[in-house]
């Protein structure tokens, strides 16, 4: 069973179809493993009862030869800002600590339609406002890589990785998982599930994927329904997918993509499922290398990683061309303004009256609102609300919000110019370095860290583009280094095909459970 928990979905699914393993056995092992890796704090809620019930139903379909597809009986996890009927949906905030919705998010409903088994709801920065999964009501999520849990129960055959674990342990330090979907990333990296949903507003799926050595896919805005995803920034939020392989990401995307009557922002055309070829030809593809992404602060190893993959693609026949996205430097400031404006608007509904946390205050409605919001939100969230309201004041609206919207159009046009000049894809770093330690990360405040961590990822959200993180190799410290691909709108087929080619070319070392971690 240990080996099976580290396997790709396709392999596990085939064993289910061949009656070589029961879904309930996989579920039992996944739930047990979730307890083993609990010190990493990947989950806010392990939905063990629901998982067992769903797995037993998959057992029955298996016995009747009526399985629902390749995801039937496959354990998955969902970030705790997606609504799941009857289960806590907290957004890692005191404001929603006791909230259980009466409906399912569309993406979860579609996974369930194909028989996927929900193992749990994963940790995040409060209301997804962060890039480290360190600002959660339930405590930070720790990266598996370089942790004591990794040294005890996992192996990838890397001496540098084991040395890093010893060094970090001696310093009493640990690496961040990235954010805000860090819990989903660690859930997949540990093998407690085969795939997890995150959300991606400025990089919140790709960033933790980069730090945790995973594939992290942000689809085109509008390709996947946001219904049931508690919003951060309505015009940029996209459900994200975290898996161990590109093929697994395709399986999840095919399950959840497509129009949704409950979400007016989804495209109104049928989704054509993606199939990736086993043999991939990258000859004559034009892949752009934008100079603006090689900024100050990028590590030497990340640059070497970028150069290595560029060289591999060129040797395989792709055309590697230097390109420019001239408004990139303005993108993060523009994003920060728009983010705070939407936060101020979206979180106005949390007033202690309809649902969520309510303060013990009865003197007046005004005092109730004030005390409820003061108690319910952490300082990061309150800061963004206050700044957003300032930007939206009548005397500031044109100066901040309208100007940011105009700049967003220029940023999107930068990409359009490249696509019109026959550039097929862009290759960039995802994060500037390997995962920093918690001690290093918290030396800077939340806003400053987001400005650094989102630099390479948020322009894709500004333009609505599909983007994917692909793990490449290990740093000298034994930690994952990754790169990002971006494609034109709705060109997921091209994006995922080249991502798979890179995956096959670099052969990133996958973590496997040791035999000492017996789950049978």
């Amino acid at each position: 069973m240990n080996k099976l928990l580290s396997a790709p979905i396709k392999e596990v699914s085939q064993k289910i179809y061949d009656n070589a393993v029961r879904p309930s056995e996989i579920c039992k092992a996944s739930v047990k493993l979730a307890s083993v890796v609990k010190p990493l704090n990947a989950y806010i809620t392990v939905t063990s009862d629901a998982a067992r019930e769903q797995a037993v139903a998959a057992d029955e379909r298996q016995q009747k030869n009526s399985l629902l597809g390749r995801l039937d009986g496959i354990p998955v996890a969902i970030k705790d800002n997606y609504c799941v009927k009857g289960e806590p949906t907290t957004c890692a905030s005191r404001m929603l600590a006791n909230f259980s919705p009466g409906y399912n998010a569309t993406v979860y409903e579609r996974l369930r339609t194909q028989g996927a088994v929900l193992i749990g709801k994963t940790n995040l920065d409060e209301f997804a406002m962060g890039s480290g999964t360190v600002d959660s009501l339930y405590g930070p999520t720790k990266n598996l890589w370089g942790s004591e849990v990794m040294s005890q129960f996992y192996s990838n055959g890397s001496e540098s990785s084991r040395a890093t674990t010893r060094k970090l342990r001696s310093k009493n330090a640990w690496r961040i998982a990235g954010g805000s979907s860090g819990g989903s990333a660690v859930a997949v990296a540990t093998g407690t599930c085969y795939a997890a949903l995150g959300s991606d507003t400025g990089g919140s799926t790709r960033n933790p994927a980069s730090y945790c050595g995973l594939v992290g896919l942000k689809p085109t805005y509008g390709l996947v329904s946001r219904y049931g995803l508690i919003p951060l920034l309505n015009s940029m939020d996209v459900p994200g997918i975290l898996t161990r392989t590109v093929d697994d990401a395709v399986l999840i995307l095919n399950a959840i993509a497509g129009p949704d009557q409950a979400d007016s922002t989804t495209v109104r055309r049928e989704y054509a499922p993606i199939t990736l070829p086993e043999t991939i030809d990258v000859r004559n593809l034009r892949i752009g290398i934008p100079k603006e992404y090689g900024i100050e602060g990028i590590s030497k190893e990340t640059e070497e990683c970028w150069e290595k993959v560029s060289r591999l693609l060129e040797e395989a026949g792709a055309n590697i061309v230097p390109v420019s996205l001239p408004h990139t430097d303005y993108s993060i400031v523009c994003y920060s303004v728009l983010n705070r404006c939407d936060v101020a608007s979206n979180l106005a509904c949390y007033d202690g009256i309809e649902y969520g946390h309510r303060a013990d205050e009865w003197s007046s409605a005004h005092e109730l609102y004030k005390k409820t919001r003061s108690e319910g939100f952490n300082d990061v969230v309150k800061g963004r609300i206050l700044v957003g309201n300032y930007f939206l004041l009548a005397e500031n609206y044109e100066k901040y919000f309208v100007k940011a919207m105009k700049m967003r159009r220029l940023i999107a046009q930068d990409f359009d110019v490249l696509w019109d000049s026959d550039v097929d894809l862009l290759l960039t770093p995802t994060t500037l370095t390997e995962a920093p330690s918690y001690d290093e990360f918290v030396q800077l405040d939340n806003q400053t860290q987001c400005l650094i961590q989102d630099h390479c990822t948020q322009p894709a959200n500004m333009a609505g583009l599909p983007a994917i993180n692909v793990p490449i190799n290990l740093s000298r410290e034994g930690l994952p280094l990754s790169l990002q691909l971006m494609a034109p709108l709705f060109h997921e087929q091209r994006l995922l095909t080249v991502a798979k080619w890179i995956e096959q070319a670099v052969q990133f070392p996958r973590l496997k459970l040791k035999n000492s971690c017996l789950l049978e």
Side-chain angles (χ1 to χ4, degrees), residues 125-126 128-135 340 378-381 384 441-454:
D125 291 291
E126 183 167 333
M129 297 183 202
S131 54
T133 314
V134 299
D135 291 314
R340 281 147 184 77
N378 71 8
D379 289 343
V380 171
V381 176
R384 292 199 189 190
F441 188 78
V442 297
Q443 287 178 9
L444 300 175
D445 61 66
N446 176 283
Q447 178 179 341
T448 305
Q449 278 294 3
C450 287
L451 293 175
I452 296 168
Q453 300 293 330
D454 294 346

Side-chain angles (χ1 to χ4, degrees), residues 263-279:
D263 179 3
S264 61
T265 65
T266 54
V267 291
R268 294 292 180 245
R269 65 176 185 230
E270 285 302 309
Y271 172 74
I274 292 171
T275 302
L276 300 184
E278 287 301 319
T279 303

